[in-house]
Amino acid sequence: MSQTELFRVLLALALLLFAAHAVGRLFARFRQPPVIGEILGGLLLGPTVLGQVLPGTEDWLFPGEGPVASGIALVQQLGMLLLMFTAGAEMRRVFSRHDGRSVAVIALAGMAVPFAIGLLAVKAVDTEDLLGPAGDVSALTLVVACAIAVTSIPVISRIMLDLGIIRTRFARVVLSIAVVEDIILNVVLSVALGMVAGGGEGGFGLAHVLGIESANASAAYHSVASVAFFGLMTLGAMAVRRRSRGRAGAAARPSASVAVRMAVLLAVSASCVFLGVAPMFGAFVVGLLSGLTGGRGAGGHDDPLGQLRGFATGFFIPVYFATVGLKLDLVHSFDLWFTLGFILVACLAKATSAYAGARFSDKPPSESLDLAIALNARGGPGIVLATVSFDAGIVNASLFTTLVLTAIVTSQMAGWWLERAVARGSFDTDAAFVPRRQDTPDTKAPPVDARTG
């Protein structure tokens, strides 16, 4: 990379970071999710705004190919991996056996029904207007179904934290359902990405080594690979947890722990690429298992997860969301009526099925409605799904724009609804659950940062 190209990469990253933080803080001041402001910051630097005013400058700062584009893309990929890692790490201590039946029923209804509706919806439209360069209708169908069924973990967490209901049973149920749904939908997304990769781009990957080429064989392989990967990672985490309990007196240096976690994250993500599993799924699983095996000092100044989270949310994750806005072209790739129709179908499918699941699990109507609206928020996971499917060539620019806007609109709707539910006194403080033994005042989980999704 020449000095000129290095200058352009550094300048582009500085502008993206400044725009993301500036607009994100503005949104936070008005009690809106900062992630939306970070996307808007990138939007201002992309073809929607800067490209219309100074097209030459926008193309020079953010070219579509070459070393400069590769440098920005690398930071974007790292931001996505750290986003999914921190989202998974936030999920420690959310499950409870008392909520098992409710979580299972609502997760099944709130995921299976919208997913099925998404599969049917693709057949009702002209896929030629939605397909990306990969030209794979099956992969497109899976992505659309996931987009309708997905629930955001971190955004809804931050909304409930700001409203003071994060420690209620309602919040625990919502987060438990979201974790179950996101694990399953990440497996499905891995299958979709594997299908468009075929045997691996340039003859790379285990699928290529095994000679897997047909679409059906590829789908079966990536399904098995994703489930097997999750199972092996879980077994590994259990072994690490048992070993760390046996050495409770030995405390690792925080800096070393951060380095080890980062090395594991990168190594596992690289192995996912070889296996044909979506790296974002690998990062989420590493974060989830890392949170479950974290030490008692979680949340303190010496907490490795807290240090890594601060490192990620200070630079990589804001830049990632800014690059999402950078890719949005609301001038040439925005279909208003299709976007409105998609948002309507997605909201009706998700909210109605979640409400039915809540009522079936004996929740009262008011709480069922609150659960339905909360689980309808797509936030960061919806944006990540849109980004990776667009980069893989599964969806075109128009559908990418629709998926991102759907994630933003549904997250705003959830925040607006829950704020008014709190004002109505819908959440009884007597329903607050008792923190587990490790959740003492000095060690309780740190606040969830909205920039993690």
Side-chain angles (χ1 to χ4, degrees):
M1 180 179 291
S2 67
Q3 292 297 304
T4 302
E5 291 166 341
L6 178 61
F7 169 77
R8 292 170 63 188
V9 170
L10 296 177
L11 178 61
L13 292 176
L15 289 173
L16 287 171
L17 185 62
F18 174 79
H21 276 293
V23 186
R25 290 189 178 188
L26 180 64
F27 270 61
R29 183 181 296 272
F30 291 97
R31 297 177 59 84
Q32 300 299 312
V35 59
I36 299 176
E38 291 169 354
I39 295 174
L40 182 58
L43 184 76
L44 298 175
L45 296 173
T48 302
V49 179
L50 183 61
Q52 297 299 309
V53 180
L54 299 170
T57 301
E58 189 263 338
D59 186 62
W60 185 83
L61 284 171
F62 309 104
E65 55 185 19
V68 177
S70 298
I72 297 173
L74 175 61
V75 176
Q76 175 195 358
Q77 289 294 321
L78 290 174
M80 181 185 67
L81 294 178
L82 287 167
L83 166 67
M84 298 306 293
F85 173 85
T86 54
E90 294 290 354
M91 292 303 101
R92 56 190 172 201
R93 301 189 292 272
V94 300
F95 294 105
S96 171
R97 286 175 296 179
H98 301 294
D99 304 315
R101 180 177 179 273
S102 296
V103 170
V105 172
I106 300 173
L108 178 61
M111 179 179 59
V113 175
F115 190 85
I117 291 175
L119 296 178
L120 296 174
V122 176
K123 298 183 180 298
V125 299
D126 185 4
T127 56
E128 293 297 326
D129 296 332
L130 307 174
L131 273 174
D136 194 311
V137 178
S138 297
L140 172 70
T141 303
L142 291 178
V143 167
V144 171
C146 287
I148 292 178
V150 72
T151 294
S152 170
I153 297 171
V155 159
I156 196 64
S157 300
R158 180 54 187 261
I159 290 172
M160 293 188 293
L161 177 71
D162 289 342
L163 294 176
I165 59 173
I166 193 64
R167 291 286 175 183
T168 62
R169 184 178 180 182
F170 172 84
R172 188 174 72 236
V173 170
V174 169
L175 294 178
S176 299
I177 295 169
V179 171
V180 173
E181 290 183 354
D182 279 10
I183 289 175
I184 296 175
L185 292 175
N186 269 291
V187 172
V188 177
L189 181 58
S190 289
V191 174
L193 295 174
M195 291 170 66
V196 298
E201 185 178 350
F204 176 79
L206 183 59
H208 173 74
V209 174
L210 297 177
I212 297 174
E213 296 181 356
S214 68
N216 291 335
S218 178
Y221 164 79
H222 288 93
S223 299
V224 172
S226 299
V227 174
F229 166 80
F230 182 74
L232 290 174
M233 288 293 297
T234 302
L235 292 175
M238 291 171 61
V240 170
R241 190 172 187 175
R242 274 198 298 268
R243 184 177 180 183
S244 59
R245 280 177 177 173
R247 302 172 57 186
R253 291 186 299 113
S255 58
S257 298
V258 171
V260 169
R261 281 172 167 80
M262 197 66 196
V264 170
L265 172 62
L266 295 176
V268 170
S269 299
S271 68
C272 286
V273 174
F274 178 76
L275 293 173
V277 178
M280 55 174 278
F281 177 54
F284 178 78
V285 171
V286 171
L288 179 64
L289 300 179
S290 179
L292 295 176
T293 58
R296 291 195 175 201
H301 295 294
D302 294 333
D303 174 25
L305 287 174
Q307 292 181 355
L308 188 54
R309 183 188 302 107
F311 167 69
T313 57
F315 174 67
F316 283 100
I317 294 176
V319 170
Y320 166 73
F321 281 120
T323 58
V324 172
L326 194 67
K327 294 178 181 179
L328 290 174
D329 187 350
L330 299 183
V331 177
H332 304 102
S333 302
F334 176 47
D335 187 330
L336 176 61
W337 295 112
F338 175 79
T339 300
L340 291 177
F342 186 91
I343 293 175
L344 179 62
V345 170
C347 290
L348 287 176
K350 183 69 177 181
T352 302
S353 58
Y355 178 85
R359 293 290 293 132
F360 189 76
S361 62
D362 300 326
K363 298 289 184 184
S366 60
E367 184 179 355
S368 298
L369 186 57
D370 292 335
L371 283 168
I373 302 300
L375 292 170
N376 188 50
R378 286 158 179 84
I383 294 169
V384 171
L385 182 146
T387 306
V388 296
S389 58
F390 179 64
D391 291 341
I394 298 176
V395 304
N396 61 12
S398 178
L399 183 54
F400 166 71
T401 301
T402 296
L403 295 180
V404 173
L405 292 178
T406 300
I408 292 174
V409 170
T410 54
S411 298
Q412 291 291 99
M413 290 170 57
W416 175 84
W417 179 271
L418 291 180
E419 186 173 5
R420 278 147 186 79
V422 170
R424 293 194 304 268
S426 299
F427 305 107
D428 188 352
T429 54
D430 292 337
F433 65 89
V434 178
R436 299 186 183 180
R437 185 177 303 173
Q438 66 266 40
D439 290 334
T440 61
D442 294 329
T443 63
K444 65 183 180 181
V448 178
D449 194 308
R451 282 170 295 200
T452 61

